[in-house]
Amino acid sequence: MRVTLVSMPWASIDAPSLALGILTSRLRETLPEVDVETHYVNIACAEWMRSTLPGSSGDDYDFFALRSYFKGCGDWVFSSALHGTREWNVESFAEQMNGKISPRDYDICMRLHAGAPEFIDAQAASISATKPDLVCFTSTVQQNVASLALARRLKEILPNVRCVMGGANCDGDQGAGFHRMFEQMDFVVRGEGERSFPELVRRLMTDADLTDIPGLCWRKGGESVANPMSDRLLTPAEIPAPDYDAYFSRIETTSVASWFEPRLVLESARGCWWGEKHHCTFCGLNGSMMTFRSKPPEVFTRELEDLARRHKVMDFLVVDNILDMKYLNTAVREIAERGHDFRIHYEIKSNMKFHQLEQLRDAGIVSIQPGIENLNATVLRLMDKGVSGVQNVRMLRDAESLCVSVSWNYLFGFPGESADHYLPVIAQLPRLHHLQPPGGASRIALERFSPYFDRPELGFAARRPHRQYTMIYDLPESDLHDIAYLFDTPDKGIESTVVEALEEALVVWAQQHHSSTLTHQDVGEAILLTNTRPGFDWHQVELRAPEEVLLFRMLDQPRTEAALRTALGDAGATVSKILTEWQRLGLVFTDEGRHVHVATTAENQQLCRITRHAEEAVA
């Protein structure tokens, strides 16, 4: 049996598909007689863009892969191929995108939409020439429509070929909906595929019964059948190391090699240990698989080393939702001790301490996504994040001191928030201009699988499928509801004037960040502070009074004014005066009565910043 695995646009081209890498390993391990090959159609798409769009670049591809998901541009591009007409909902797209994307991005969308049918025809011809028996599509984010379009064309060329789709877009009701509405998909695998997909292949080889494969959607007498989802999650031992040979063979000859530097994708855990206890109200990322499971530390370490050795790549993207804290004294320590020059990205919780961040940095985990999301404690409680605003600022400060890059976005739009939760923070943002700014501010979306979606009483009772789906699919709203991940709902939380103030303040932060510093040196009897932030007209300050030195050291961690007064004893009466002066100088951040100083350590800050900015420019 010949099985063809396919990675469609708009998967990022700078990394192999983890899902297909794992399925390749799993098939070769369990069914060695099966002939497995992988097609990276996403890379072919980038090559098509380069050849047909003069002056195009990797940034143009990344518009679809990374920046347009909430607008639906990537799926709409291939809707012309899915529906068989170049004019598919062109007017609707123009109306929805008016003022939402740049003229350049709009022009690229229109030109790709017009050429998508020919691109899909070419890819179908290439794949069908290998005479596959089963074609497997992995679908995450904006890969649905390209996958459906290619599957439809393949079955026109090879009527006996069978197509299957899986991935995050196929979880739960979504997967059942896609299978019911799109007959070109013979099967949809819902949930984790390491166990069920090889079993599907095995039974197709012998025409065996499919009724007990957990989560599988299949057809009986032309009707869609959805087997019950599995209640037995995979153990870490069942998750093999991915096989990325096909990806690296493909990029050896690509014409878009200058568009990216390849990196390796790996997972050390699935699920979210925080979400098991407190599911963040807006988050739908884990779908039906919240239960946290992590690989044995020695297995993860071995996989890192083996992949780096095999592919001569040292950059890793670890796709876990959250770091297993036990790894700090196992895998993280071992990687650091072995002295590798890895550059690893990880998602972590934002209340980690300085010494824990230092452990990560020493192991090469120099890029983190801490889930900061907001700098006000009340709004963070509405999210059920389990952290405070001052803890998030401390995270930004400590990461800057350690030269660790932080990825984050400022989220708003939560039921129960008000201007009072934003205006005091906005007023303090100039104090933070030396710390890493967010990528921007975004109103939260209503996502399937999130508590906000599952529990309408939390504030989002009115909802309908996001407007992008009506310009992409030819389906009634009731069917769109079954396949949609994003939903339109009336705005909640802060009003437009506060949103504008927040967005403007964040733009200034981003503009002034590269020229802003605030560092401190603790020399024993004094604290020496140096400032270049444009919003403050001082360059150097020395704290020499004993109570000031003690107070500054205490504010390395968030403290209340009452706690500071108690610590200073007889000198406690001066705390309010000192804090007022430090707020004028921009030395502290305050939220809900708690304070933390924002000055980074002075050692090598400029060198770290230059290095990080150089790496970001290359990326």
Side-chain angles (χ1 to χ4, degrees):
M1 186 176 194
R2 179 181 291 272
V3 176
T4 297
L5 309 178
V6 184
S7 177
M8 293 299 290
W10 296 93
S12 293
I13 60 176
D14 65 347
S17 166
L18 177 64
L20 299 188
I22 287 176
L23 289 183
T24 298
S25 293
R26 193 70 172 149
L27 285 174
R28 288 177 175 162
E29 171 190 319
T30 58
L31 297 170
E33 68 273 27
V34 172
D35 184 4
V36 183
E37 66 175 12
T38 302
H39 283 249
Y40 277 92
V41 179
N42 58 325
I43 296 175
C45 180
E47 294 167 342
W48 169 53
M49 291 176 65
R50 183 179 182 274
S51 65
T52 59
L53 301 174
S56 59
S57 67
D59 187 64
D60 295 321
Y61 187 93
D62 285 347
F63 167 75
F64 298 101
L66 303 176
R67 302 193 300 275
S68 72
Y69 174 57
F70 292 98
K71 301 177 181 69
C73 297
D75 272 336
W76 181 80
V77 159
F78 286 100
S79 64
S80 57
L82 175 62
H83 300 294
T85 171
R86 299 174 190 274
E87 301 304 317
W88 178 260
N89 277 351
V90 169
E91 292 182 1
S92 175
F93 180 79
E95 180 182 349
Q96 288 199 31
M97 295 304 115
N98 185 26
K100 302 283 182 60
I101 61 177
S102 71
R104 173 182 172 80
D105 290 333
Y106 177 80
D107 179 63
I108 290 175
C109 288
M110 297 296 289
R111 295 175 67 179
L112 294 180
H113 183 265
E118 284 75 16
F119 173 78
I120 291 295
D121 285 350
Q123 298 310 306
S126 175
I127 292 174
S128 62
T130 67
K131 298 296 189 291
D133 298 296
L134 181 68
V135 179
C136 171
F137 298 86
T138 179
S139 184
T140 302
V141 194
Q142 292 190 90
Q143 290 181 286
N144 279 343
V145 178
S147 299
L148 293 168
L150 182 54
R152 183 182 67 83
R153 188 70 184 102
L154 281 170
K155 292 181 78 68
E156 291 173 350
I157 299 171
L158 298 173
N160 293 326
V161 74
R162 287 181 281 196
C163 295
V164 56
M165 186 163 74
N169 287 338
C170 298
D171 202 3
D173 292 341
Q174 276 185 289
F178 275 115
H179 186 259
R180 187 171 63 253
M181 296 167 212
F182 296 98
E183 293 186 353
Q184 61 264 53
M185 288 300 171
D186 299 275
F187 310 101
V188 167
V189 175
R190 299 182 297 161
E192 298 173 303
E194 288 87 344
R195 192 185 295 138
S196 55
F197 180 67
E199 186 61 25
L200 171 64
V201 174
R202 179 183 290 108
R203 297 194 191 187
L204 291 177
M205 293 170 66
T206 59
D207 292 322
D209 182 68
L210 304 176
T211 57
D212 62 343
I213 299 179
L216 180 69
C217 297
W218 54 290
R219 287 189 170 81
K220 182 177 181 180
E223 296 296 320
S224 176
V225 177
N227 294 347
M229 297 283 287
S230 176
D231 58 2
R232 185 168 66 94
L233 296 177
L234 293 172
T235 66
E238 294 180 275
I239 306 172
D243 183 332
Y244 289 148
D245 288 356
Y247 172 81
F248 283 94
S249 294
R250 179 66 176 83
I251 66 174
E252 283 181 358
T253 58
T254 183
S255 62
V256 294
S258 63
W259 284 15
F260 63 94
E261 286 290 331
R263 53 182 177 166
L264 292 161
V265 185
L266 200 54
E267 60 181 343
S268 61
R270 290 185 182 175
C272 180
W273 55 259
W274 175 255
E276 284 187 275
K277 299 178 291 185
H278 299 275
H279 190 173
C280 296
T281 52
F282 64 94
C283 177
L285 289 180
N286 284 284
S288 60
M289 294 171 287
M290 183 66 75
T291 303
F292 186 73
R293 299 146 286 159
S294 64
K295 293 180 179 179
E298 65 276 8
V299 171
F300 175 66
T301 301
R302 183 173 66 249
E303 289 179 1
L304 273 175
E305 294 175 336
D306 288 349
L307 284 171
R309 188 179 300 112
R310 182 173 185 83
H311 300 296
K312 307 298 187 291
V313 172
M314 305 294 280
D315 290 305
F316 282 87
L317 171 64
V318 180
V319 297
D320 301 9
N321 290 152
I322 195 167
L323 171 73
D324 185 344
M325 296 298 287
K326 293 191 292 291
Y327 267 34
L328 288 173
N329 294 317
T330 53
V332 171
R333 177 177 293 174
E334 184 175 355
I335 294 168
E337 290 174 349
R338 294 191 182 187
H340 297 303
D341 190 24
F342 292 147
R343 292 172 297 278
I344 303 171
H345 174 87
Y346 239 112
E347 292 193 31
I348 66 171
K349 203 163 188 311
S350 63
N351 60 357
M352 291 182 70
K353 303 293 197 301
F354 183 91
H355 73 276
Q356 295 171 324
L357 288 177
E358 195 170 28
Q359 285 179 271
L360 299 183
R361 191 273 314 271
D362 291 345
I365 301 172
V366 293
S367 174
I368 57 174
Q369 185 174 332
I372 290 174
E373 264 88 67
N374 204 283
L375 300 181
N376 174 264
T378 298
V379 179
L380 290 163
R381 281 193 293 273
L382 294 173
M383 300 184 201
D384 212 357
K385 292 293 290 186
V387 296
S388 65
V390 286
Q391 284 178 307
N392 282 341
V393 169
R394 184 192 65 186
M395 163 61 68
L396 291 170
R397 182 202 68 195
D398 291 349
E400 184 73 20
S401 293
L402 291 166
C403 196
V404 173
S405 294
V406 179
S407 300
W408 68 292
N409 287 297
Y410 211 111
L411 301 184
F412 61 89
F414 298 89
E417 71 181 17
S418 70
D420 291 339
H421 304 133
Y422 286 84
L423 296 179
V425 172
I426 292 171
Q428 296 183 82
L429 291 185
R431 306 176 189 181
L432 309 182
H433 283 183
H434 60 298
L435 307 180
Q436 294 173 70
S442 303
R443 183 175 293 277
I444 60 167
L446 181 58
E447 300 178 353
R448 186 185 293 273
F449 306 118
S450 70
Y452 277 146
F453 181 81
D454 293 335
R455 298 173 56 195
E457 71 273 14
L458 293 178
F460 294 104
R463 77 276 297 276
R464 61 188 304 176
H466 193 281
R467 64 184 69 89
Q468 66 173 267
Y469 299 114
T470 61
M471 73 179 186
I472 294 169
Y473 298 104
D474 184 19
L475 294 168
E477 184 171 308
S478 59
D479 288 340
L480 292 177
H481 188 280
D482 291 342
I483 65 173
Y485 180 76
L486 300 173
F487 291 81
D488 282 333
T489 185
D491 290 347
K492 301 290 183 178
I494 55 175
E495 298 187 1
S496 59
T497 54
V498 182
V499 173
E500 291 170 4
L502 175 63
E503 291 174 338
E504 290 172 3
L506 296 184
V507 167
V508 175
W509 186 352
Q511 291 172 340
Q512 295 189 357
H513 171 59
H514 295 305
S515 60
S516 296
T517 59
L518 173 63
T519 62
H520 80 275
Q521 288 180 292
D522 191 329
V523 295
E525 295 181 352
I527 306 291
L528 309 181
L529 293 146
T530 302
N531 169 70
T532 65
R533 295 165 299 169
F536 300 90
D537 60 356
W538 61 273
H539 181 57
Q540 289 186 328
V541 166
E542 293 186 10
L543 306 179
R544 290 196 170 274
E547 59 271 22
E548 288 185 322
V549 173
L550 176 58
L551 198 63
F552 187 86
R553 289 172 180 164
M554 289 188 66
L555 288 178
D556 181 69
Q557 302 299 317
R559 312 277 186 184
T560 64
E561 187 169 331
L564 297 173
R565 286 176 177 169
T566 299
L568 289 185
D570 293 341
T574 66
V575 167
S576 180
K577 180 180 178 181
I578 293 172
L579 286 176
T580 299
E581 174 62 9
W582 287 1
Q583 288 166 347
R584 185 187 71 81
L585 297 174
L587 299 183
V588 295
F589 180 87
T590 301
D591 182 52
E592 287 199 345
R594 301 175 74 204
H595 314 271
V596 67
H597 85 68
V598 299
T600 63
T601 56
E603 184 178 3
N604 291 329
Q605 279 302 290
Q606 287 300 104
L607 179 60
C608 285
R609 183 169 287 210
I610 291 170
T611 301
R612 187 172 66 238
H613 292 166
E615 291 175 349
E616 291 172 353
V618 170

